[in-house]
Amino acid sequence: MAKFELKLPKMGESVAEATITSWLKEVGDTIELDEAILEIATDKVDSEVPSEVDGVLVEKFFNVDDVVQVGEVLAVIEIEGDNETSDNTDVTVEESQIDDAPVEALEQTINIAKETVAPVLSSSTRFYSPLVKNIAKQEGVSQKELDAIKGTGKEGRVTKNDILDFINNRGGAQDIIKQEIEAPVIQNKEPEKPKQVTAPIVSNGEDEIIEMTRMGKLIAHHMVESVQTSAHVQSFIEADVTNIWNWRKKVKDAFMKREGENLTFTPIFMEAIAKALRDFPMMNISLQGDTIIKKKNINLGMAAALPDGNLIVPVIKNADQLNLVGMTKQVNDLANRARIGKLKPDDTQGGTYTVTNVGTFGSIMGTPIINQPQVGILALGAIRKVPAVIETPDGDFIGIRYKMFLSHSYDHRVVNGALGGQFVKAVKDYLEAWDVNREI
């Protein structure tokens, strides 16, 4: 029998790790091709990891709530065949990976360390993945050595490559390990790090205490990070969308009958925003340090509500290349899959500009927080029927019009007031110039 290693797949250009939320299969279970084996969550979306082969699950390397890096082995599946484990295995450290170390002395010391050194532990300020712990155990890396390794992962986390580099280059490793084994008393004399004190929860006994969800914590962190990163500035403008209101009312039933899709206002607004981004490409950028990256594609993020009340931002790729029918299908598909929790990781990747509809909740305007690393976000307010001054060749008069506010938040580090205002004015102009006789 051969063995196949199931690895955490790549889930988008900015996703490097995921948290295991549940195992759908247990050791000994028979698994079919494309059958879901476990559920994972990233800071973007929840998803399932399917099997790439038919076989039997024989080993799992991580538990629920463990954080796994992209490319790490999640499980081993036994399949039909004569080959051993697939040739991309990297679960344990091979002897060839430490050939540069002083072989005989180091091997002898490591063997002693494996039996003597206590297992490494994560702390409140230093997290180690199960794979890193496993390598440390295999190679006799002590807690002190591991704590001294400079991590290159997210938030300074020690990765597999970090610990392997340490093992390959620790020229004086024998002396360090011997000190750990032979002189534990010296180690214990080091001052302990002060423990973090968590403020007690104040409650009068009648209040309900609710733990934030994992998604809620991630969103909170993302929002605070954005406010601390970008210099947020807002511009507001009011748009007359009477022509759009009347046109949609006239064509929506025929559209539903022909396309089987509900024609909402969102795809109409998205079309106008995509056109404005094409007119002002310096709004379709991202900022990394002191470098501006001008995006070739216009990928519109669309804030959508999740069943638990949180928001997620699926992305409409190449939005400027879609006609209104295509835009409507994309908007409806992403919104529906967001509501039932069926978005894929790739659905939330690659956004270059974001739109949020605060009017859905009755708000007439808002000051949205930029979705990093983008530099702008547009909030669509509620459409209201209001009295307005109407200018005609025969004079001005008061009439009933459908109007809405557009609230544009932008990063003042790279977007000045002129560009921020011109962009949202362009969106307004596209909306107000809507052709009431347009065919779809």
Side-chain angles (χ1 to χ4, degrees), residues 210-218 220:
I210 302 174
E211 176 72 17
M212 287 182 69
T213 64
R214 181 196 58 80
M215 181 67 77
K217 292 176 183 177
L218 292 171

Side-chain angles (χ1 to χ4, degrees), residues 241-258:
V241 293
T242 305
N243 287 345
I244 292 176
W245 181 281
N246 293 333
W247 177 83
R248 175 184 172 272
K249 184 178 180 180
K250 179 177 67 175
V251 305
K252 65 179 183 178
D253 291 340
F255 188 87
M256 168 63 81
K257 184 176 180 180
R258 190 187 79 189

